Structures are given as structure tokens and as C-alpha cells.
Amino acid sequence: MAHSQPLTPEALAELRERYRAERERRVRPDGTRQYLRAEAEFGSYADDPHAGPAAEREPVRDSVDVAVVGGGFGGILAGARLRQQGVERVRVVEKGGDFGGTWYWNRYPGIHCDVESHVYLPMLDETGYVPEWKYAPGEEIRRHAVRIAEKSDLYADALFSTAVTSLTWDETAQVWIVTTDRGDEFRATYVVTATGTLSELKLPGIPGIEKFRGRTFHTSRWDYAYTGGTANGGLTGLADQRVGVVGTGATGVQVVPMLAEDAGHLYVFQRTPSSVDVRANRRTTAGDVGADHHGWARERRDNFLRIVSGESVDEDLVADRWTSSAALLEKLLPSFSRRGGDPAAFEAAYEIADAAKMNELRARVDEIVTDPDTAARLKPWYRYACKRPTFSDLYLQTFNRDNVTLVDTADTHGIERMTEHGVVVGDTEYALDCLIFATGFSVGVSGIHSGRLPVRGRGGILLRDAWAARGPRTLHGFTSNGFPNLIQLGGVQSAGSVNYTHVLDEHAVHAAALVAAAQAESAVVEPSREAEDAWLAALAVNAPDHEWFHAECTPGYYNAEGRGRPNRPTAYPHGAAAFHALLERWREESLAEILRPRTSARA
């Protein structure tokens, strides 16, 4: 953990106090309740602007081998890997009008991935595709999702503009009954849920939001009919408009520069500034990324994963700001590889490296933003892992434009209220023609976990109820006792990474292997309670205590808006690279342990 210059104990003490004071300015007593679920409160915000009204069709009444819930990268990869295992009837059910998930819904101006395309886009080796940019635009990513789905023949049985409304295990028939909001009721021997971590959009619960007479929309439902233009810009409809943006996270950092180019005047309402590092996006060639042999993409993404998981490599193939700051991700992506020795010495070195990095990012604001007052409000006063890092070579520069105003809302805990004509912050009403919510999603909240998609296992027990008392119970995060042939993809009790598509692909490989093994043996996939207990115990061994760290962070989705993170084992503590290796060994040595005859229950 190198740092550019020594930091004295006095300087660190001052920094800690500044962080504490800035946190207190932003903590709200309502925590996560400050947000509304758009589907529940304002249904129109969740409408599909890309597909329009769903075409009429007859309800489906049939049987498939596997039902995959969700058509984002998780569902697409599950389907593709199932196909590779020879599974024939695979049906993906997706509430959007096509495959793509996050990249189907999010088409706002300026959208790109913030992990290098050549490691972010999955199955590059299998499709023979080489991304055109180091950080691909959203449309290139969406088209790649479609490319995988087409290559894997997933369109044939897919149901689009359709939401699964219930999953019920039929013990007699040993199948899942799947119902949807289109009147479908079909049977699936296996169910793979890939409902994602960014599927439920959220809105700030601003008093008077319903009174505003101007146009409003969420960035994941961009209204190009109003703004004009495309994701590449040219928003001519905003030429004489007073536009406001709420939210300055990863989405806001990308969309704000594009809006500033075309809006008559842009108001950026900021509660907490993001840390904004160098992006250095550029066009790339196959030669730039070593795409001259089969397996190049896997080598590159494995290299990236090892680095951000805290493991050593001979060469950094990606060489960007994620990999150069990888050691500071330890509080988000725990790994024993980063720790060791005296814990106090580790934390002291970690804090110094953290302070040096954040000082570097704050200095970058001063170097770019010409107005000192604006620069002061754009500086991130918290530790590196408190908020998702962002990267841009355009965002900070935007605040040097005459038609852009930064409105800091920290002391008022956000916008106080809305009127017919605009928004109120403190003593000022900002007149607006349009207000855009770049407020993101309820991260990690899927319909299964929220209860909106009821899952009933053996004996009619709801999965949500089964986990209510003591938290999730799984084997490796995928399967649970009492819920046969149900395989969940996601981050519960597994291991995460900043490159989430890599995690999803490894999960898809694992899910497909479970299904293939069960089909070969005419068996049911279900772990015993003892297997669940053993996995929970493995997660708890030397599990890192990061509760204190996130309790000191500025409010955000990492710490439940300042409420902290539960200090219970929720992830594999050795990191994602080690977790994927563990799964591979387990499939070779122990997979048969969770297969049982189709007619018996497992206690």
C-alpha cells in the first residue's frame, strides 16, 4: 500500500474528524425509507419505454426442463451454459421487451461500463467478439447480450414483457409451477433465478413530488421523446430547458456531462460527491488486448479478478484505476490475501494508503474545477471504500461551464420539497422544466428477497419466511434445503467482485453443472441441513469485521444509508478468485452429495 507522501498522526486525526463531520451532515433519521419503490408508488416510472405495450398472446401452459427467471447477463449466461451442457428446453422469462437486463433498461446519454470491456463482456472467446472501446458504450454491451442469446438459441422459448409472479414446488410431480402476470402457468423441473442486484429502481421520497408540472423520469427509463437525441448525445429537445438532475453516483457522473452539452441550464443536486478518478477511455484493437489466440479473454478477466481479489500476478493486463487501487477494496471485497500479520499494523497501513488516495482525488478536483467554492463542494470527504468509485474525464470539467450550477443539499438532507414549478433547497426555489432522477436501484433487493416474488418450497414454506429468523441458509449461495431444484444466482453467501459479469458467468457454469448432473441421475438438487450448516460455519471462520468501517462512512447504499452493515458472515472471506476455485473442486469431488432420488425428501 504505497502512498505519495508521509501523513503525520496529526494530519490523520484531522482527516478522521473531517470525515466524521461530513458524515453527520448527511445522515438522515429515515435511512433507506427516504426512497420510494417506483413500481409501488409511481407505476409510470417503471414502464418500458423501449418495447411499448406488450403484444397480446395466449397464456402458456406447458413444461420445460429449466425456467430461468431474468433475462439480464445472469439469465443469459445461465441459459448459454445450460445449452453447453445439452439441456434442451430452457425458457427465460424477462419483464423487459428483450434480453439485456441492466443494459436493456439503462440507455441514458453517456452510458458506458466502468470495468474494462474486454473483461466485463462475457463469453468473448465463445462468440469471437472483441470490444471496440476500453470501456464500451451501453448499446455495444446490450448488443453483445443479444449476441450470446442468439448464439445459444434462447429466443425460441423466451417470454418477454412478462414478470414471474410465483414459484411453487409441487412435491407430488417433483416440479416447479411457474406463474406470471400474463396468465401463464407452466411447469419446470428446475428453476434458476437471475433477478439481479439492480432490478428495482428507487426514487427519493420528496414531499410534493406529485405536484410538479414539469417532466420527470428515472435514468433507467430515459425519455428520448422529450429530450431528443440518443445515448451519444444531441439532446436537442433540451436546448431552452431548465433541467435538474438528482443523484451524483456512477450514473450521474456519466449523464451530467451529456446533459450540460445541450440543456439551456443544468442544475445538479448533490447530497454527497463521488470520488472521480481518471477514466482514459479510448478505442482499442485486437492487438492492444492480446486477442490473437483462443482463451485470451478468459486469461485477461482471470488476471483482473485475481488483482482486485487481492492476489498477486506477474503482470497487470488491464492496468487501470481499478487495479492500481485494488488494495483499497478490502473493506468491500474481503480477502485474506490482503491481510495477514498484525491486524493493528495492517489497519494503520491501510488507513495511510486510503488517505493518500483520497487526497490525490481531492487534489484532482482542485486541478480541474476553476471556481474554488464549487471545487470545495465536489471534494469527497470519506474513505475510498465508502462509496463506489467513479471514473470520468468529463464530469468535473462540466462544472466549469456557465450553464451548469451545482446545488449542494447536504445540510438539508437532499431536496426539501417540490412545487408545481421546481424544487426547494433551503431558502431557494429552483425553477425547472424537467427533473431527472439518477438515483439508482435498491441494490441487492430482488423480488425474491423483498417478497414481491413468492417462492414456496416443500410444504408450502415461503423462502422469505424460512430465512426470516436467522438469515439466509444456503450451500455456496446457490441451493437451500426445503427448496429442491431451485438454484439462485447472486451475491448471497458467495463472493463478489467489481466485475460482476465474471461472477455471474462462474455462477452460471456452476448452475448448469448442477442441472446436468441431476438430469443424468434423474435426481433432485437439494443440500442437507448439515451441508448448509457446514457452509455457514466456513463463512464464519475468521470472517472480517467491517461493521465499524461502514458505520463511520458517509451514508450510501453500501451501508444502508448510514445504518451500517450487519456484522454476520455474508460472503466467502478469501475472495472471488478463491471461491471460484473452491466451486470447481467441489464439482469434481462432492457434487453427488446434494443429489437425491426424485421421490424422497432430504432432512
Side-chain angles (χ1 to χ4, degrees):
M1 296 183 188
H3 50 92
S4 56
Q5 60 184 11
L7 287 163
T8 65
E10 293 76 17
L12 281 174
E14 291 177 8
L15 195 57
R16 291 186 202 114
E17 178 55 28
R18 178 64 184 272
Y19 288 173
R20 186 200 64 77
E22 294 289 341
R23 178 188 186 279
E24 292 305 311
R25 289 179 64 201
R26 294 170 171 84
V27 173
R28 291 174 51 133
D30 51 358
T32 57
R33 296 193 306 278
Q34 68 189 270
Y35 294 105
L36 307 174
R37 252 192 42 233
E39 291 91 337
E41 306 291 339
F42 297 95
S44 62
Y45 281 90
D47 290 346
D48 188 342
H50 312 301
E56 293 293 327
R57 63 171 175 78
E58 291 297 316
V60 173
R61 303 275 194 275
D62 62 4
S63 298
V64 296
D65 295 320
V66 185
V68 179
V69 184
F73 269 124
I76 295 167
L77 291 167
R81 300 306 184 185
L82 285 163
R83 287 281 193 248
Q84 290 177 344
Q85 291 280 6
V87 180
E88 295 181 0
R89 291 295 307 276
V90 177
R91 170 170 293 147
V92 179
V93 185
E94 164 57 36
K95 67 180 180 181
D98 199 353
F99 288 108
T102 293
W103 302 100
Y104 173 84
W105 295 108
N106 287 275
R107 306 191 197 188
Y108 57 79
I111 184 171
H112 286 67
C113 57
D114 62 6
V115 171
E116 190 198 67
S117 314
H118 308 90
V119 300
Y120 181 79
L121 295 186
M123 296 187 72
L124 293 177
D125 291 314
E126 291 88 340
T127 58
Y129 185 69
V130 180
E132 299 176 18
W133 291 86
K134 187 169 179 67
Y135 303 98
E139 183 61 11
E140 184 179 359
I141 301 170
R142 189 188 70 81
R143 288 183 180 277
H144 185 65
V146 169
R147 180 180 297 113
I148 297 171
E150 289 176 338
K151 184 178 178 66
S152 304
D153 191 27
L154 298 181
Y155 277 95
D157 272 327
L159 299 178
F160 295 116
S161 301
T162 303
V164 174
T165 53
S166 70
L167 298 170
T168 305
W169 176 251
D170 183 331
E171 182 67 22
T172 301
Q174 301 271 285
V175 295
W176 285 93
I177 307 300
V178 183
T179 65
T180 78
D181 62 354
R182 305 288 298 277
D184 307 307
E185 184 175 311
F186 63 91
R187 296 184 171 201
T189 307
Y190 307 90
V191 170
V192 176
T193 62
T195 50
T197 61
L198 300 173
S199 57
E200 294 197 6
L201 60 90
K202 63 184 182 183
L203 295 169
I206 304 171
I209 189 173
E210 73 284 353
K211 298 178 182 178
F212 181 58
R213 291 184 176 179
R215 185 73 180 99
T216 64
F217 54 88
H218 192 276
T219 48
S220 68
R221 305 294 192 273
W222 195 271
D223 186 356
Y224 283 108
Y226 176 83
T227 67
T230 68
N232 295 320
L235 310 177
T236 55
L238 302 180
D240 59 351
Q241 301 289 291
R242 299 161 298 181
V243 180
V245 174
V246 182
T248 53
T251 297
V253 165
Q254 293 192 107
V255 78
V256 160
M258 304 297 286
L259 288 169
E261 289 286 337
D262 296 305
H265 197 93
L266 179 66
Y267 295 92
V268 181
F269 297 95
Q270 169 193 277
R271 182 181 64 165
T272 305
S274 286
S275 65
V276 186
D277 211 335
V278 173
R279 185 179 188 88
N281 198 11
R282 62 184 183 276
R283 285 192 177 275
T284 56
T285 67
D288 293 336
V289 295
D292 57 357
H293 64 283
H294 185 75
W296 71 271
R298 172 169 286 280
E299 292 169 7
R300 194 173 183 88
R301 75 172 190 174
D302 286 349
N303 176 269
F304 181 83
L305 183 71
R306 288 198 298 273
I307 292 172
V308 297
S309 296
E311 299 186 6
S312 59
V313 297
D314 294 332
E315 180 185 6
D316 181 352
L317 296 178
V318 172
D320 66 0
R321 295 306 171 105
W322 278 118
T323 58
S324 67
S325 302
L328 297 177
L329 299 174
E330 195 270 341
K331 302 304 181 194
L332 290 177
L333 306 170
S335 168
F336 287 150
S337 302
R338 294 192 182 95
R339 287 171 267 148
D342 177 29
F346 170 84
E347 292 296 346
Y350 183 94
E351 183 179 21
I352 291 172
D354 188 300
K357 179 63 181 180
M358 294 306 292
N359 282 342
E360 172 193 315
L361 295 175
R362 288 187 284 266
R364 183 172 186 244
V365 178
D366 284 329
E367 292 166 2
I368 294 174
V369 181
T370 55
D371 177 64
D373 290 338
T374 303
R377 284 178 281 151
L378 286 167
K379 291 180 181 178
W381 292 100
Y382 45 79
R383 295 180 67 170
Y384 188 76
C386 284
K387 289 177 67 70
R388 183 177 176 88
T390 69
F391 311 88
S392 176
D393 300 323
L394 302 172
Y395 179 74
L396 295 174
Q397 292 83 343
T398 299
F399 294 94
N400 293 330
R401 298 177 60 102
D402 292 336
N403 71 324
V404 177
T405 300
L406 177 67
V407 182
D408 187 84
T409 69
D411 291 320
T412 57
H413 302 300
I415 294 171
E416 293 177 79
R417 58 188 174 90
M418 294 182 69
T419 68
E420 293 181 353
H421 306 293
V423 302
V424 176
V425 178
D427 297 327
T428 305
E429 179 175 355
Y430 296 88
L432 299 174
D433 300 295
C434 175
L435 184 62
I436 300 168
F437 296 104
T439 45
F441 300 82
S442 298
V443 176
V445 178
S446 70
I448 292 173
H449 299 144
S450 68
R452 291 179 58 236
L453 170 51
V455 179
R456 296 185 181 275
R458 189 179 296 109
I461 300 299
L462 279 169
L463 179 65
R464 191 183 186 200
D465 290 345
W467 288 3
R470 294 186 295 167
R473 288 182 57 85
T474 72
L475 175 59
H476 302 141
F478 294 88
T479 56
S480 294
N481 182 264
F483 297 86
N485 289 359
L486 177 70
I487 305 169
Q488 299 190 65
L489 307 192
V492 175
Q493 296 181 349
S494 57
S497 172
V498 296
N499 186 14
Y500 194 57
T501 56
H502 187 175
V503 169
L504 287 174
D505 198 13
E506 296 288 348
H507 287 195
V509 168
H510 190 71
L514 294 179
V515 171
Q519 279 195 328
E521 299 294 329
S522 296
V524 168
V525 175
E526 183 184 5
S528 65
R529 293 189 184 278
E530 290 76 15
E532 290 179 335
D533 290 339
W535 182 240
L536 291 172
L539 296 179
V541 175
N542 295 321
D545 176 9
H546 290 163
E547 183 177 20
W548 63 271
F549 179 92
H550 292 285
E552 295 176 358
C553 282
T554 189
Y557 68 82
Y558 281 171
N559 66 357
E561 296 297 333
R563 297 296 180 89
R565 286 159 64 119
N567 191 32
R568 64 171 185 258
T570 57
Y572 186 63
H574 296 273
F579 178 67
H580 299 162
L582 178 149
L583 290 181
E584 185 174 4
R585 290 193 304 272
W586 181 87
R587 290 195 297 269
E588 294 174 354
E589 301 170 2
S590 305
L591 191 156
E593 295 175 3
I594 69 165
L595 302 181
R596 65 168 177 79
R598 287 177 59 86
T599 56
S600 65
R602 174 165 289 188

